[in-house]
């Protein structure tokens, strides 16, 4: 039996390891469009802040170690672009060469995860950052080293926004955190969130609650955010952490039930 797995981070990598334990003879191929598999998502902000100092500490496995330990064929920089259900094939694009090929399967595991959500007013620019993948983490770290921003605007007060703010402070950056609702960390009760508000302000974060960003633009060597109330907030960069969007395009195009 041949199993192809689309996605090689938490879900896909775990599925590959479990499948190998259940079937020693199966051919298992993992397709991952980024350059890393089985990495520690929770550690990404803490590399930026310096608590994790070595890039290698962020990855639990590599394609080579997967091959040695589990006999799994892991292909990074390999993006699944189409599922051909009738012929049981996946169209794959090699992101390094640009070439495409067809990979057959007997069983297909769909585990591409999600991508950082970007509101329509957010421009594509090196000073507009997201934190979702290992590449994002290195991009932010490289940006901090090269540009040495003094102030960063964090949009979003969930787990990623707060952890990004914490670690930007550790890098000596002034942080303004904007949250649309009346509290950060919406899963928490309001009285619990108030403890977080006090701690954030005590740590030096300029916290703006009930503040909805409606526009973000690059201006000179920085960015400017405009809120629904007409306020303008200027910074050297913006980190957008307003949630994630599930990667369902391939499944939808293949006619899978969503």
């Amino acid at each position: 039996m041949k199993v192809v797995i689309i996605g090689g981070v938490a879900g896909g990598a775990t599925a590959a390891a479990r499948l190998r334990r259940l079937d020693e003879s199966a051919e298992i191929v993992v397709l991952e469009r980024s350059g890393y598999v089985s990495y520690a998502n929770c550690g990404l902000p803490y590399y930026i802040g310096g608590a994790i100092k070595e890039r290698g500490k962020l990855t639990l496995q590599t394609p080579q170690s997967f091959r040695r330990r589990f006999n799994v064929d892991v292909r990074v920089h390999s993006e699944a672009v189409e599922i051909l259900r009738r012929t049981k094939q996946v169209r794959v694009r090699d992101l390094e060469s640009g070439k495409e090929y067809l990979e057959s399967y007997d069983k297909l595991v769909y585990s591409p995860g999600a991508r950082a959500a970007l509101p329509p007013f957010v421009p594509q620019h090196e000073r507009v950052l997201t934190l979702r993948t290992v590449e994002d983490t290195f991009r932010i770290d490289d940006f901090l080293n090269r540009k040495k921003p003094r102030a960063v605007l964090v949009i979003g007060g969930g787990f990623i926004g707060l952890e990004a703010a914490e670690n930007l402070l550790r890098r000596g950056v002034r942080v303004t955190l904007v949250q649309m609702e009346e509290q950060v960390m919406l899963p928490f009760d309001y009285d619990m969130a108030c403890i977080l508000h006090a701690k954030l302000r005590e740590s030096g974060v300029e916290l703006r609650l009930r503040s909805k960003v409606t526009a973000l633009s690059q201006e000179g060597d920085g960015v400017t955010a405009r809120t629904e109330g007409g306020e303008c907030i200027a910074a050297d960069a913006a980190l957008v952490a307003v949630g994630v969007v599930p990667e369902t395009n391939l499944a939808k195009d293949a006619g899978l039930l969503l």
Side-chain angles (χ1 to χ4, degrees), residues 144 149-154 164-165 168-177 203-206 234-237:
L144 293 173
R150 292 171 296 176
V152 171
L153 170 66
V154 176
L168 287 168
L169 288 173
R170 288 179 175 173
R171 291 288 290 265
V173 177
R174 293 198 318 273
V175 176
T176 299
L177 192 147
S203 300
V205 174
E206 186 176 339
D236 298 313

Side-chain angles (χ1 to χ4, degrees), residues 101-162:
Y101 62 92
L102 294 176
E103 190 70 36
S104 64
Y105 64 83
D106 296 309
K107 298 289 185 180
L108 181 68
V109 177
Y110 187 80
S111 182
R115 67 181 185 276
L118 288 176
F121 58 78
V122 174
Q124 295 285 335
H125 192 272
E126 72 162 343
R127 291 183 180 271
V128 177
L129 310 166
T130 58
L131 180 51
R132 175 72 187 171
T133 65
V134 175
E135 282 92 347
D136 289 339
T137 305
F138 295 159
R139 191 177 302 116
I140 293 170
D141 182 60
D142 291 341
F143 176 81
L144 293 173
N145 289 331
R146 286 187 297 105
K147 300 296 185 180
K148 295 181 170 45
R150 292 171 296 176
V152 171
L153 170 66
V154 176
I155 303 173
F159 281 106
I160 300 300
L162 296 194

